[in-house]
């Protein structure tokens, strides 16, 4: 458990505020915090991005190296996603191997990227059956104030967009070349505060939330990944409303972070 | 989700799937309650080719101590796949997948268990996948809530779970392995039947909003069916299977004195609130005849469900 320890008074206060449509940091329920993204921040990485979502701050680094494909998928590259909740990010995080929270977040982010075909694994093949690119996505959490799902997804896309495949360095190609991204998935995370639902939770809100729902949508507004978390439940109507909002937020965030999102992606050949 | 393969036809022209099922058809499901001796509660589920055991221990002391919550019990689920449960041997021990599944299943169960009643304790739920054929998390969760009820843990309701997915461009219910490997989307859900709330919801793959809604509807209907099977499994243990648990004489006396309605009609009539209450009273009466402590524990289940409702209204 790395969530903040919160007093019962604060919990009640957060719920009460939420019921009147307000939040502790002055936002309304359907409002994301400010996002700033900086790319190419790590020289030793093939691609990188630093994302600040309110007071949450993460760095995403992409490393690539040639390796062998899995025996059951000889014509596909390998992509792994890892998320590190390091103790510097919050007083409630302890050192050690990734816990269930970090694993869940990494896997949900991974699912959105993978299932939307942002980087089709067939793009990562060097010699079919023999040599493929192994792509490591590492998300480092520097300052934890909630909603790593959404900050993480944005960070990963921005870092991938900025990745240069080190073909020449590893002597598997003539030149290093930029990695193509084929889609822009955006995830939006909702929490239930008492009876109402708020988007983009802070660490405090996550700690008092009774339920959580993450929805990842693609450029078309189709669903690519979903995850319900924390105890509690969502009604059918609530899920449908969240999906609607998620598609809307996805569009907004895409146009906020990319001038022309459609131009950023390269359609898949064939 | 695996990548779709062109050369495999997952649904034929007649709309039949590889194993002969229709798109909205479940695999055969068998649920049994109380199959283990040492555990406080247990259940076994056979779901198509899935074979899953669930055991419940607790409420009991939390180790390590710092995990305990002074306000409520914690529900700790351990989902584990046996090394021999899959085609290529699985390395034993928790991997990232099973850690994630354990976490979401714990959270789903915590939403129905009346955790406020057992502060500072843990309720441990062990889920062993002995044989896997896709949909294990849903089968495991289905077994888990039966095992919890079998352990006499007060709950708001049982949790039936089921997956829907997209295969060969169509939304289908309850994927089995080939469909899971080559399908386009997977959407496991679990609900609280009394409130219709979703307590487990995951998705990966590619679905349009319309397909999602269609799939969810299908899964809800399937969950209602599974819910009946869960209740039936519990009823069976505490009525028909008495002879496994008590000596013959007691059983015969018990059977003489109580009229056991055939569960089938009893269960089907259980839709309306009024009828359900009658059913509950009957069970209470039956149970009073039994001198065993274990059965007396089970009596409160229906009462507790009512308490659960009050609790939720608060």
């Amino acid at each position: 458990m790395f969530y903040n320890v919160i007093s019962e008074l604060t919990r009640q206060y957060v719920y009460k505020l939420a019921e009147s449509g307000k939040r502790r940091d002055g936002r309304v329920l359907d409002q994301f915090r400010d996002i700033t993204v900086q790319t190419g921040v790590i020289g030793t990485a093939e691609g990188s991005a630093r994302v600040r979502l309110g007071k949450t701050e993460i760095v995403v680094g992409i490393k690539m190296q040639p390796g062998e494909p899995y025996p059951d998928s000889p014509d596909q590259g390998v992509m792994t996603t890892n998320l590190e909740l390091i103790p510097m990010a919050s007083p409630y995080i302890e050192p050690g191997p990734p816990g269930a929270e970090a694993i869940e977040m990494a896997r949900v982010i991974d699912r959105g990227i993978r299932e939307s075909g942002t980087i089709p694994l067939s793009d990562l093949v060097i010699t079919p059956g023999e040599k493929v690119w192994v792509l490591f996505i590492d998300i480092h959490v520097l300052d934890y104030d909630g909603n790593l799902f959404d900050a993480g997804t944005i960070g990963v896309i921005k870092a991938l967009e900025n990745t240069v495949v080190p073909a020449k360095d590893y002597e598997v190609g003539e030149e290093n070349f930029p990695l193509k991204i084929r889609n822009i998935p955006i995830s939006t995370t909702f929490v239930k505060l008492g009876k109402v639902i708020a988007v983009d939770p802070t660490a405090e809100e996550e700690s008092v939330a009774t339920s959580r729902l993450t929805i990842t949508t693609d450029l078309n507004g189709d669903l690519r990944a979903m995850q319900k978390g924390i105890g509690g439940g969502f009604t059918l109507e609530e899920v449908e409303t969240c999906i609607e909002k998620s598609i809307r937020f996805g569009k907004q965030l895409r146009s906020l972070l990319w001038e022309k999102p459609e131009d950023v992606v390269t359609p898949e050949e064939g | 989700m695996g990548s779709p393969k062109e050369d495999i036809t997952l649904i034929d022209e007649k709309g039949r799937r590889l194993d002969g099922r229709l798109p909205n058809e479940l695999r055969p499901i068998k649920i049994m309650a109380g199959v283990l001796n040492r555990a406080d509660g247990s259940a076994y589920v056979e779901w198509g080719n899935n074979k899953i055991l669930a055991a419940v221990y607790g409420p009991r002391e939390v180790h390590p101590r710092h995990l305990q919550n002074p306000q409520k019990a914690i529900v700790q689920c351990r989902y584990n796949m046996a090394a021999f449960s899959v085609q290529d041997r699985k390395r034993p021990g928790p991997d990232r997948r099973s850690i994630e599944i354990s976490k979401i299943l714990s959270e789903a169960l915590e939403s129905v268990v009346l955790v406020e009643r057992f502060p500072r304790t843990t309720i441990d739920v062990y889920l062993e996948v002995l044989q896997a054929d896709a949909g294990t998390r849903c089968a495991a969760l289905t077994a888990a809530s039966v095992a919890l009820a079998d352990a006499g843990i007060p709950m708001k309701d049982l949790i039936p779970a089921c997956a829907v997915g997209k295969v060969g461009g169509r939304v289908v219910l309850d994927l089995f392995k080939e469909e899971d490997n080559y399908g386009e989307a997977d959407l496991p859900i679990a609900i609280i039947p009394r409130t219709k709330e979703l307590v487990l919801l995951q998705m990966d793959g590619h679905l349009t909003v319309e397909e999602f809604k269609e799939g969810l509807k299908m899964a809800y209907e399937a969950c209602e069916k599974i819910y009946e099977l869960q209740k039936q499994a519990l009823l069976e243990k505490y009525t028909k299977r008495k002879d496994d648990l008590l000596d013959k004489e007691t059983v015969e006396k018990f059977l003489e004195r109580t009229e056991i309605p055939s569960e089938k009609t009893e269960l089907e009539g259980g839709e309306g609130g009024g009828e359900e209450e009658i059913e509950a009273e009957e069970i209470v009466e039956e149970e009073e005849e039994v001198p065993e402590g274990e059965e007396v524990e089970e009596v409160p289940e229906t009462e507790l469900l009512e308490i659960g409702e009050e609790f939720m209204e608060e």
Side-chain angles (χ1 to χ4, degrees), chain A residues 104 107 111 227-228 234, chain B residues 100 103 198-199 201-202:
Chain A
E104 184 189 22
R107 285 178 60 90
R111 235 174 267 160
Q227 180 95 337
K228 197 230 112 194
F234 281 90
Chain B
E100 186 202 339
K103 180 170 186 283
L198 286 153
V199 291
L201 173 61
Q202 291 187 295

Side-chain angles (χ1 to χ4, degrees), chain A residues 145-188:
Chain A
D145 192 25
N147 199 8
L148 293 180
F149 292 99
D150 302 355
T153 304
I154 291 169
V156 173
I157 299 292
K158 280 287 184 182
L160 286 171
E161 193 194 349
N162 155 267
T163 295
V164 176
V165 183
K168 193 173 173 231
D169 306 352
Y170 283 101
E171 296 170 348
V172 290
E174 299 274 298
E175 285 300 323
N176 294 349
F177 57 91
L179 188 68
K180 291 185 183 112
I181 62 166
R182 314 284 197 182
N183 208 335
I184 305 179
I186 294 283
S187 85
T188 38

Side-chain angles (χ1 to χ4, degrees), chain A residues 243-261:
Chain A
I243 289 176
E244 251 168 60
K245 284 181 183 167
S246 179
I247 294 170
R248 208 177 63 221
F249 281 125
K251 275 211 184 94
Q252 283 171 5
L253 288 172
R254 259 179 229 108
S255 51
L256 184 79
L257 296 166
W258 286 273
E259 264 176 41
K260 281 184 181 156

Side-chain angles (χ1 to χ4, degrees), chain A residues 3 8 11 76 81-83 94 98-104 106-108 111 115-116 192 195 212-213 218 220-236 239-240 243-244 247, chain B residues 1-3 5 66-67 71 88 95-101 103-104 106-108 110-111 137 184 187 192 195-209 212-213 216-217 220 313-314:
Chain A
Y3 292 135
E8 197 51 36
R11 179 194 305 269
Q76 290 188 340
T81 306
N82 184 47
L83 185 140
E94 279 166 27
E101 286 87 5
I103 290 175
E104 184 189 22
R107 285 178 60 90
V108 173
R111 235 174 267 160
E115 300 300 338
S116 62
K192 231 174 170 177
K195 291 190 179 71
R212 188 194 67 223
L213 182 65
D218 65 9
N220 280 335
D222 289 347
L223 307 170
R224 297 290 188 161
M226 254 192 250
Q227 180 95 337
K228 197 230 112 194
I230 324 186
F234 281 90
T235 65
L236 206 55
V239 171
E240 283 175 5
I243 289 176
E244 251 168 60
I247 294 170
Chain B
M1 270 303 73
S3 48
K5 281 209 173 171
H66 70 86
L67 289 176
Q71 256 108 44
D88 298 325
D95 53 15
R96 288 167 72 89
R97 175 178 171 274
S98 52
I99 291 172
E100 186 202 339
I101 293 178
K103 180 170 186 283
I104 54 153
S106 307
E107 290 165 347
E110 218 176 287
S111 63
R137 75 192 67 187
E184 295 111 82
L187 171 73
I192 303 177
T195 62
K196 311 283 177 227
E197 272 176 304
L198 286 153
V199 291
L200 178 132
L201 173 61
Q202 291 187 295
M203 197 216 83
D204 69 288
H206 183 187
L207 286 179
T208 63
V209 177
F212 171 79
K213 286 182 183 171
L216 208 57
K217 190 165 163 267
Y220 259 80
E313 275 159 24
E314 275 177 30

Side-chain angles (χ1 to χ4, degrees), chain A:
Chain A
M1 273 300 275
F2 67 92
Y3 292 135
N4 297 12
V5 175
I6 293 225
S7 76
E8 197 51 36
L9 279 173
T10 314
R11 179 194 305 269
Q12 296 306 332
Y13 182 53
V14 171
Y15 286 2
K16 219 172 171 182
L17 267 184
E19 250 166 63
S20 59
K22 291 181 207 149
R23 295 161 84 169
R24 287 254 277 173
D25 55 6
R27 281 186 290 163
V28 293
L29 297 174
D30 281 346
Q31 190 182 347
F32 259 82
R33 291 169 285 178
D34 288 339
I35 304 176
T36 50
V37 182
Q38 226 181 324
T39 52
V41 288
I42 308 287
T44 46
E46 269 69 72
S48 60
R50 171 172 172 241
V51 176
R52 299 175 76 165
L53 175 61
K55 287 179 189 154
T56 288
E57 181 168 355
I58 61 165
V59 169
V60 180
I62 310 284
K63 291 296 287 178
M64 289 180 87
Q65 60 190 51
E68 275 179 30
Y70 287 118
D72 59 345
S73 52
D75 48 4
Q76 290 188 340
V78 178
M79 183 171 88
T80 65
T81 306
N82 184 47
L83 185 140
E84 294 277 339
L85 278 170
I86 50 176
M88 84 187 298
S90 155
Y92 304 103
I93 296 173
E94 279 166 27
E101 286 87 5
I103 290 175
E104 184 189 22
M105 288 189 231
R107 285 178 60 90
V108 173
I109 293 167
D110 183 273
R111 235 174 267 160
I113 308 286
R114 192 179 296 269
E115 300 300 338
S116 62
T118 304
I119 306 290
L121 295 180
S122 51
D123 281 10
L124 300 176
V125 176
I126 303 168
T127 322
E130 281 174 31
K131 221 181 224 182
V132 296
W133 286 109
V134 183
L135 192 148
F136 297 94
I137 301 170
D138 283 284
I139 304 163
H140 236 63
V141 183
L142 306 182
D143 216 341
Y144 180 69
D145 192 25
N147 199 8
L148 293 180
F149 292 99
D150 302 355
T153 304
I154 291 169
V156 173
I157 299 292
K158 280 287 184 182
L160 286 171
E161 193 194 349
N162 155 267
T163 295
V164 176
V165 183
K168 193 173 173 231
D169 306 352
Y170 283 101
E171 296 170 348
V172 290
E174 299 274 298
E175 285 300 323
N176 294 349
F177 57 91
L179 188 68
K180 291 185 183 112
I181 62 166
R182 314 284 197 182
N183 208 335
I184 305 179
I186 294 283
S187 85
T188 38
T189 297
F190 302 86
V191 286
K192 231 174 170 177
L193 303 171
K195 291 190 179 71
V196 295
I197 294 174
V199 77
D200 181 24
T202 60
E204 183 181 83
E205 286 166 339
E206 280 180 357
S207 308
V208 301
T210 47
S211 208
R212 188 194 67 223
L213 182 65
T214 300
I215 301 167
T216 308
T217 57
D218 65 9
L219 264 173
N220 280 335
D222 289 347
L223 307 170
R224 297 290 188 161
M226 254 192 250
Q227 180 95 337
K228 197 230 112 194
I230 324 186
F234 281 90
T235 65
L236 206 55
E237 293 72 42
E238 284 167 346
V239 171
E240 283 175 5
T241 319
C242 287
I243 289 176
E244 251 168 60
K245 284 181 183 167
S246 179
I247 294 170
R248 208 177 63 221
F249 281 125
K251 275 211 184 94
Q252 283 171 5
L253 288 172
R254 259 179 229 108
S255 51
L256 184 79
L257 296 166
W258 286 273
E259 264 176 41
K260 281 184 181 156
E262 280 77 12
D263 296 352
V264 176
V265 299
T266 321
E268 247 182 286
E269 289 103 39

